[in-house]
Structures are given as structure tokens and as C-alpha cells.
Amino acid sequence: MKGYSGVFPWKSNPTKNQEAPSGTWKLFGKSNSLSKSAEVQKTLTPTSSVSNTPHHHKRQGSSASEKQFEDLVASSIALIQHDRPSNLPAKCTEEALRHKAEHARMVEAARRKVEREAAARHARIQESLRLEERLARHAKEWTQNILPDWDNMKNAKRTLELWWSGLPPSIRGKVWQLAIENKLKITHVMYQDLVFQAKQKLHEAKLKRKRLKINKACGCKEDNSDDRRSSKEKLQKEEITGEINNEKIDIKETELDSTDERIGCEERLSNRDKFVAKSETPRLGMSRNFSEQNLKSMNSESERKNKSNPNLVEYSDECSMELIQLDIARTFPHLCIFQPGGPYFDVLHELLAAYVCYRPDIGYIQGMSFIAAVLILNMEAPQAFICFANLLDGPVLRAAFTRDGAMMQRLWKAYTALLEYNVPSVANAVAPELYLLEWLYTAFAKAMPLDAACRVWDVFLRDGDTFLFNTALGILHLYQEELKEMDFISAAQFLTKLPEDLDPEALFRSISSVSMTLDGMSFEELVSCCQLEQTLDDDVTVRL
């Protein structure tokens, strides 16, 4: 231990410890040497004395050497709290008392904040436990009493009450299937056939894109060769014309030769023009950065031709396949299960592609992926496809996805009338164009937290498409005070993505407080009574 004798200066020699008196105390026990503080001060601190220490560094009842010893940190429990750092003047009595009172208030406020947070956390836990117990009781009641006798119990008062309070996740998929029904008579075998057709079309689309890339490269070379050939023909024509003018030949032979040459040149030029016109025909190549409108507007004539033969790969199908690939990665990104490489990426892609084959007249529209994803989260893929196809065959969603302008105009007018009646302050501040279309196209699956969206879907599938507009009015009624204080852009952003802490119970209370009748007419009657405003654009749309 001789080599380490200077490392720990407070460890003195045993002989000295035996001879030292025991009159002082150290931090962690009774001291054996009165000279220990002096040794530590000499070893670990620069030499100083009371005489050369500034007067404002001195404290009452302690010297500078003692403060330097106190500043020595041997352990975390040996930290000494000072009222003020040693390099600052000491506090006066009044200032010290004031700071002590402020410190006590801060500690008390922090203590109350911790208690409030703990109480809120405890309340959330208790509420979660009560919710789980309630869902367990409801699930048992659904399983034992309602589902076995669905035809007789689906319209019972108790069933409707349980339905409104939210379906338990364990039986939600089953109840959704029974509520949507299968009016289109789609079978599992039909779904598998549609998936096979979709895979074939995807494969053919990839091959077509490869061929178009090759043809495009070859077309550029052929165009250049055509230009060289035409310039060569022009030179030959000029040479022949010069020879005819310079040489002395018979007039008839000259006329015949010039006529034959003119005919030959015209034939070659006409053939070249035909080839160039053929090469300039618009191709069916698709860029990945095209929007939905650009993709669907290109080559509409080829779409009409291909629809005569359903076995051909339609351009609209290829567009829809491309749109699915562009849009599917943006579906519930926070879940990380529908993105490429996720467990449900292929399932969602196959379902949407199968629907494109099932309804090529509609194809894929942005927003379908959210509806399909909610169904996939609650049931198997074949059942999800059956529900998806039947759900999109409802009056509101069918009008939205088929772009039925007349029906959408009636729905818009009826909703605007109810909005002005229920929430007039919001009706004048926020235009429905900012939020309503996206809410309808995704059935609130994109704008709401997933739990709240599933609660809305429960009653939406029970009451029909009218509940979508009831929910829209309920959201505006719930957040009307917040929306009044927002500007145009802030309100649009807020309604596009509602808060994550949206309380489903508060939302449904707001939905219940909204009236869906106006002047004694229901929403459906308002829709049927709305007058259409025929404009020039509508005439053009109808003719197209």
C-alpha cells in the first residue's frame, strides 16, 4: 500500500490514529484526529489563510478553510445545502426569510401537482377497470342472449341500448357482419378468384411498363433514323431535279420520269408520316407521381374500348392498382402494420385490388384504404371484403365514390340546413368543404382516434348512412367554442385531425343533443326535397 499512500489523504497512518484524541466528529463517524481537517485542507485545496480571504467570503461562525472542507464531496449523502454559493455575499435576514417562504410555496405547489397527477392517474386506472368490467358483462350478454337469436333480438330495446354504449371488441366483428349483411351475395370463393385476377393484372401491368420503356427507347432511335432517311430522300430528289434541268432529253420522257419520281417520293413521305404519326400515339405509361385525377383522365378512349371486352387489362384498373400502391402506405401510419413490410400490408393490398376487379367502373378512390383497414382489424380478409363491398353499396358512400353529383348536392344542402339550425356560429365560420368530404370518404377513420372511430362505426352500421351526418354535427357541436377562436387555416387543420384525447362518451352526448329534423322533416326527407341548382358545369358533367 506504499504506492497508494498519497491517493486518499484522509486515511492517516495507524500509529497516528492510535495516539490521537477523540474530541471531534467527521461526516460519517467520529473523528480520531484533530489535525485531520488541516491535513485535508493542505492536500486538496490551495493554501489560503483568513488574512488573505476576502471579507465578503467569510460567514458567521465559520472560516474559509472550514467552508473549503465543507465543499469537499465524499458521497452524495454528504452534500451540504448552502443558502447561497460561497463566492456570493451572504443573504440578509429579511431576504433569507422571503426566499425561505417562496421555497416553501414552491415545494407545496409541486407537492399538490404531484398529488393531482397521482389522483388523475388513479382515476384513469379505475375508469379503465370499470370499462373493462362493463365490456366483459356486455360481451357475455351479447354472446349468450343476443347473437344466438339475432333475428328476434336485433331490434330489441336492450340490444339497441348495448349497441349505443359501444360493442365489445371481442364480438365487434361478428356484429358488424350481421349488421352490414351480404346483399350482394359475395362468397369466399368469389373473393379468392378476384384476388387471383388482381395478381394477374398487377403482373401484366409490370410487364407492360417494361415493354413501354423498351419501346420508348427504340422509338427514339427509329425517329432519328426516319429523319436521316427523309433528308437523304430530299437530297436525292434535288439531284434528280438538277439532272433533269441540265440534261437534254425528250420532253415526254422527262415528264414521265419526273412524274414517277414525284410519285415515289410522295409514297415514301406518306409512309414516313404514317410511321411518325403511329410512333407519336400516346402510350399507356404511368408515372408514379401522377395524381388520381391525372391517372383517371388519361386515355379515356382506350377505357371505353376495353370495357367491351372484360378480359382485357383496362387502363382504369392499372390506374387503380397504381393508386393503391401510392396510398396504402399512408393508412394508419402510427400502427405500423399496413405499411410495406407490415403484417397486414399484403392483406389490405389484396382486398383493395380485388375490389378494383369486382367494380372496375369505380376502381380505387383515395379513402377506401381506411375503410378497408378498419374492417381488416376486426375480421378476416374474406369477411372484410364482403362487408367492404356491401358497405360501399350504401346510398351515401356509393354517391361519394361514384361521384354522383346530383345526390351529393342534395346531401350537401340538407346537411348545411341542419348545420345552420344546430350550430349557427360554426356554420358561418367553417365551410363544410374543409372537412365533410374527407369525413365521408373515410367514415371518420382518418380524422378520429381509432377507438372513437370504432364507436362511431358501431352506430353507423346500426342506423345507416344518416348517422355519418349526425356524427359530423356532433363533432362541430362538441368543439364549437374552440372553433370560434380559430382562424380559417387552424380550423381546417383541427377538423382534419381531431385531438387524440377525444372522449367518445362526450362525443356521443353531443351527438344525442343534435337534432336531425328540421320543420318536421327528417334528414332523408330533407334530402329528397332539396332543389338542384343546374349549372353549365353540371350540364357538361351530365352529357359526359
Side-chain angles (χ1 to χ4, degrees), residues 25-28 59 62-86:
W25 292 82
K26 61 178 181 178
L27 293 175
F28 301 103
R59 294 180 182 271
S62 64
S63 63
S65 60
E66 290 174 345
K67 286 197 293 293
Q68 290 171 354
F69 178 76
E70 290 173 354
D71 291 339
L72 175 64
V73 178
S75 175
S76 61
I77 61 174
L79 293 174
I80 301 173
Q81 268 191 335
H82 296 293
D83 291 338
R84 182 170 285 181
S86 59

Side-chain angles (χ1 to χ4, degrees), residues 123-220:
R124 287 195 298 268
I125 294 174
Q126 295 298 321
E127 180 64 24
S128 177
L129 292 175
R130 286 194 295 269
L131 178 61
E132 291 180 0
E133 293 175 358
R134 188 189 69 181
L135 290 176
R137 292 194 306 270
H138 291 181
K140 183 177 180 181
E141 190 170 355
W142 276 97
T143 304
Q144 296 180 355
N145 302 332
I146 300 174
L147 292 179
D149 192 15
W150 174 255
D151 293 333
N152 297 325
M153 293 293 296
K154 62 181 179 180
N155 294 322
K157 182 179 179 180
R158 178 57 180 168
T159 303
L160 297 179
E161 291 176 355
L162 292 174
W163 214 328
W164 178 266
S165 63
L167 296 174
S170 59
I171 55 97
R172 175 169 279 153
K174 180 65 175 177
V175 175
W176 283 7
Q177 294 177 49
L178 294 172
I180 296 174
E181 299 180 347
N182 187 11
K183 297 179 180 179
L184 300 177
K185 305 301 181 182
I186 301 174
T187 62
H188 290 195
V189 177
M190 186 185 300
Y191 170 68
Q192 298 298 333
D193 293 340
L194 292 170
V195 171
F196 180 74
Q197 294 178 23
K199 290 181 179 180
Q200 279 188 327
K201 291 188 177 184
L202 284 172
H203 180 67
E204 292 173 0
K206 291 180 181 178
L207 295 178
K208 182 179 286 187
R209 283 196 296 271
K210 291 181 180 179
R211 288 196 299 267
L212 290 174
K213 289 180 181 178
I214 297 173
N215 294 337
K216 186 176 180 181
C218 296
C220 295

Side-chain angles (χ1 to χ4, degrees), residues 13-24:
N13 295 331
T15 56
K16 295 181 179 180
N17 292 337
Q18 294 175 0
E19 298 173 358
S22 58
T24 61

Side-chain angles (χ1 to χ4, degrees), residues 286 290-298 315 319 322-323:
M286 291 174 293
F290 280 169
S291 65
E292 177 185 342
Q293 295 179 352
N294 292 335
L295 286 170
K296 285 189 175 292
S297 62
M298 291 176 61
Y315 184 74
C319 295
E322 290 289 325
L323 290 172

